[in-house]
Amino acid sequence: MSESSSDKKEKDFEDDSVAELYVLHLYIAGATFNSIRAVRNTKAICEQYLKGRYELVVVDIYQQPALAQADQIIATPTLVKRQPVPLRRLVGDMSDKNQVLLGLGLKPV
């Protein structure tokens, strides 16, 4: 039986992504609309593309300003990909799935 093109795309995506642990820190500023949206979008992307191989830490810069300062966060929401290297930063509400996937070093579908 032949694979459909969508099955092939999903398989290609899985074959190309290495089973590494992704360590992500999402910096937000309180319970603002953009912060809530960034958390929701980031979790959805991680569950769809990195299920079982990611660690997401959500950091509220009002509650933990030292962490934000240590990571030199100047805008929120900011997603910092610590592992696998290279370190990358994405700013915004993470609503553009393809841009987030590229920023994480994953191939967009």
Side-chain angles (χ1 to χ4, degrees), residues 53-69:
R53 52 192 189 103
Y54 74 94
E55 175 185 311
L56 176 63
V57 178
V58 179
V59 179
D60 186 332
I61 64 167
Y62 295 135
Q63 294 178 8
Q64 298 176 297
L67 290 177
Q69 185 176 11

Side-chain angles (χ1 to χ4, degrees), residues 37-38 41-42 45 49 79 90-104 106 108-109:
R37 193 167 169 183
N41 290 338
T42 303
I45 289 169
Y49 296 97
L79 181 63
L90 298 111
V91 179
D93 66 7
M94 310 305 144
S95 59
D96 186 339
K97 183 169 39 173
N98 285 336
Q99 285 299 110
V100 174
L101 291 173
L102 284 171
L104 293 175
L106 299 171
V109 185

Side-chain angles (χ1 to χ4, degrees), residues 76-91:
T76 60
T78 296
L79 181 63
V80 178
K81 178 182 72 93
R82 294 179 173 276
Q83 293 292 327
V85 294
L87 183 127
R88 293 199 179 152
R89 299 168 193 267
L90 298 111
V91 179

Side-chain angles (χ1 to χ4, degrees), residues 1-107:
M1 221 184 247
S2 68
E3 295 180 83
S4 71
S5 63
S6 64
D7 289 342
K8 175 127 177 61
K9 280 183 184 178
E10 191 67 30
K11 186 175 182 194
D12 288 346
F13 178 81
E14 290 170 4
D15 290 347
D16 291 345
S17 61
V18 179
E20 294 180 86
L21 177 67
Y22 280 70
V23 178
L24 309 168
H25 287 201
L26 178 61
Y27 289 89
I28 60 169
T32 65
F33 176 75
N34 278 340
S35 295
I36 292 166
R37 193 167 169 183
V39 171
R40 184 182 64 234
N41 290 338
T42 303
K43 284 183 178 179
I45 289 169
C46 288
E47 280 299 304
Q48 184 174 357
Y49 296 97
L50 299 172
K51 189 165 185 96
R53 52 192 189 103
Y54 74 94
E55 175 185 311
L56 176 63
V57 178
V58 179
V59 179
D60 186 332
I61 64 167
Y62 295 135
Q63 294 178 8
Q64 298 176 297
L67 290 177
Q69 185 176 11
D71 260 347
Q72 300 176 337
I73 301 301
I74 59 171
T76 60
T78 296
L79 181 63
V80 178
K81 178 182 72 93
R82 294 179 173 276
Q83 293 292 327
V85 294
L87 183 127
R88 293 199 179 152
R89 299 168 193 267
L90 298 111
V91 179
D93 66 7
M94 310 305 144
S95 59
D96 186 339
K97 183 169 39 173
N98 285 336
Q99 285 299 110
V100 174
L101 291 173
L102 284 171
L104 293 175
L106 299 171
K107 185 193 302 184

